[in-house]
Amino acid sequence: VPTYIMTQQVSGSPFFKPFFLKTPVSLLRQRRHTLPASEFRNLTPQDAISVFEIEREAFVSVSGECPLTLDEVLNFLGQCPELSLGWFEEGQLVAFIIGSGWGKERLSQEAMTQHVPDSPAVHIHVLSVHRHCRQQGKGSILLWRYLQYLRCIPGLRRALLICEEFLVPFYQKAGFKEKGPSAISISNMQFQEMEYTIGGQAYTRRNSGC
Ligand SMILES: CC(C)(COP(=O)(O)OP(=O)(O)OC[C@H]1O[C@@H](n2cnc3c(N)ncnc32)[C@H](O)[C@@H]1OP(=O)(O)O)[C@@H](O)C(=O)NCCC(=O)NCCS
């Protein structure tokens, strides 16, 4: 029986707090030195290198551009760690989301580098899954947990992101709606803007055909 140690959001707090499933004392003794099998928690600047390694592999090889530079990762994890979420397996980061606050109706170029504190919207800059762990449902699960978690942050009403056309169905399955072409362009790439109403739609099940 694996020792599952997970984190769970505590009511009223914007941060994920460690949560331990009950495990027999004998098992805890045996496994005192093992790392948590699966853990979800907010990221910190100490996680920036692991984040950037996954990001670099995911994007640089494909488009030559990362959504966030290492400095921007450090910046956002320093300014708004509560808008990030990482999935760790045995201590290794396998997937993550980085967000920041945004106050306007639509995302504009400044949203790429700014965090607007206490705003009604979160801008999801990047969702990325380690290449060894893709197509296993992890991206969908992490996004679902993140959107559930956002419901508990007071004043937050919407989540916004931009993505390339081929990922529109992925985000639609998660409950996002298309807002149309984004004003943001990076290296001549075009994006769709997507919006999720926090506390609104239920997340449709993966491959459910909903
Ligand atoms: C996109 C990403 C986050 C999805 O995570 P994942 O764990 O692989 O995805 P899941 O297993 O939860 O879901 C799979 C679904 O993702 C979508 N998807 C994933 N990669 C895709 C791709 N390259 N093209 C089209 N759809 C894709 C499909 O809808 C797929 O559903 P299907 O298997 O029913 O066709 C992951 O592939 C990744 O990190 N890619 C590189 C970085 C990236 O593009 N991030 C998103 C922009 S910020």
Side-chain angles (χ1 to χ4, degrees):
V1 182
T3 308
Y4 282 103
I5 304 180
M6 303 168 101
T7 54
Q8 198 177 54
Q9 206 234 338
V10 170
S11 172
S13 159
F15 287 90
F16 266 63
K17 295 281 192 287
F19 172 76
F20 303 92
L21 290 184
K22 278 191 180 159
T23 309
V25 172
S26 57
L27 265 180
L28 281 177
R29 278 201 197 104
Q30 278 170 30
R31 294 176 179 270
R32 187 174 293 162
H33 302 296
T34 59
L35 288 159
S38 196
E39 182 185 26
F40 293 87
R41 65 163 171 81
N42 295 128
L43 298 167
T44 72
Q46 284 72 41
D47 299 309
I49 298 287
S50 309
V51 161
F52 194 65
E53 275 173 11
I54 295 178
E55 204 198 10
R56 196 169 46 183
E57 184 285 321
F59 295 99
V60 172
S61 56
V62 179
S63 63
E65 295 273 349
C66 277
L68 298 176
T69 64
L70 180 56
D71 279 349
E72 287 164 349
V73 171
L74 279 164
N75 206 19
F76 287 128
L77 296 185
Q79 287 188 72
C80 46
E82 74 283 4
L83 296 178
S84 68
L85 187 60
W87 183 342
F88 295 80
E89 284 185 342
E90 282 154 8
Q92 297 293 311
L93 185 67
V94 294
F96 67 89
I97 291 174
I98 293 180
S100 66
W102 181 245
K104 296 184 188 153
E105 174 62 24
R106 298 286 301 257
L107 293 172
S108 59
Q109 206 74 37
E110 315 95 80
M112 306 307 280
T113 48
Q114 270 182 22
H115 164 57
V116 182
D118 304 319
S119 51
V122 58
H123 169 201
I124 298 178
H125 291 268
V126 55
L127 157 65
S128 197
V129 177
H130 192 286
R131 69 192 161 102
H132 292 145
C133 303
R134 289 189 196 137
Q135 292 292 321
Q136 299 170 13
K138 283 192 163 62
S140 310
I141 291 168
L142 183 68
L143 186 56
W144 180 82
R145 288 194 78 132
Y146 184 75
L147 295 171
Q148 296 305 304
Y149 161 68
L150 293 182
R151 297 167 78 141
C152 304
I153 298 184
L156 214 46
R157 298 281 170 267
R158 302 182 303 140
L160 296 164
L161 58 81
I162 57 167
C163 68
E164 287 184 82
E165 194 66 44
F166 69 86
L167 281 176
V168 165
F170 173 79
Y171 288 112
Q172 281 175 331
K173 275 188 218 167
F176 283 80
K177 302 263 187 279
E178 276 190 270
K179 278 180 85 78
S182 172
I184 298 167
S185 93
I186 303 166
S187 303
N188 292 326
M189 290 163 72
Q190 303 302 311
F191 301 96
Q192 286 298 316
E193 185 165 338
M194 310 285 294
E195 178 182 56
Y196 178 89
T197 305
I198 294 166
Q201 315 91 315
Y203 193 102
T204 53
R205 293 187 66 162
R206 186 167 172 258
N207 296 334
S208 69
C210 296

